[in-house]
């Protein structure tokens, strides 16, 4: 994987009430194989559960750092993986989705 396929997302600079929506939007704008490197000051376990429910195996989750005050997670888009149960057909096909952009469109 090339470095230009890793996109940084520092959640610490996003207002709490917008965070999850911003993260979902960022994930949905990525192409197959791209990675969003997520940085936060706490372990976002509820967010990880929401990502798994919403996208299934289409978003891989890999901790890069898991230290107090410094959490770094790579979210990898894996379109060949099964979508979450109840996800729209666009999620499985990798088309359109809710953003209307060129991303993978794995939204519910």
């Amino acid at each position: 994987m090339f470095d230009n396929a890793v996109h940084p997302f520092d959640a610490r600079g996003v207002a709490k009430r917008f965070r999850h929506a911003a993260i979902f939007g960022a994930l949905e704008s990525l192409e197959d194989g791209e990675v969003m490197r997520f940085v936060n000051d706490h372990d976002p376990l509820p967010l990880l559960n929401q990502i798994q429910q919403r996208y299934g195996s289409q978003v891989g989750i890999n901790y890069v750092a898991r230290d107090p005050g410094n959490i770094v997670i790579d979210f990898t888009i894996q379109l060949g993986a099964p979508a979450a149960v109840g996800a729209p057909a666009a999620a499985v096909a990798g088309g359109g989705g809710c953003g209307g952009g060129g991303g993978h469109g794995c939204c519910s």
Side-chain angles (χ1 to χ4, degrees), residues 39-52:
V39 178
N40 205 7
D41 58 0
H42 66 276
D43 204 349
L45 298 177
L47 171 68
L48 299 182
N49 288 332
Q50 287 179 336
I51 288 172
Q52 288 182 330

Side-chain angles (χ1 to χ4, degrees), residues 7 13-14 29 39 43 59 73 81 94:
H7 305 283
V14 179
S29 70
V39 178
D43 204 349
V59 176
I73 302 171

Side-chain angles (χ1 to χ4, degrees), residues 17-88:
R17 68 183 195 160
F18 301 130
R19 246 182 230 170
H20 286 205
I23 293 163
F24 295 145
L27 287 172
E28 291 167 9
S29 70
L30 296 175
E31 300 291 335
D32 191 25
E34 288 186 314
V35 175
M36 181 175 83
R37 179 154 292 161
F38 173 84
V39 178
N40 205 7
D41 58 0
H42 66 276
D43 204 349
L45 298 177
L47 171 68
L48 299 182
N49 288 332
Q50 287 179 336
I51 288 172
Q52 288 182 330
Q53 289 175 353
R54 189 171 180 142
Y55 306 115
S57 298
Q58 289 189 328
V59 176
I61 299 170
N62 181 48
Y63 280 88
V64 176
R66 202 171 189 179
D67 302 316
N70 182 44
I71 303 297
V72 181
I73 302 171
D74 280 353
F75 294 116
T76 305
I77 303 305
Q78 306 168 143
L79 291 184
V85 175

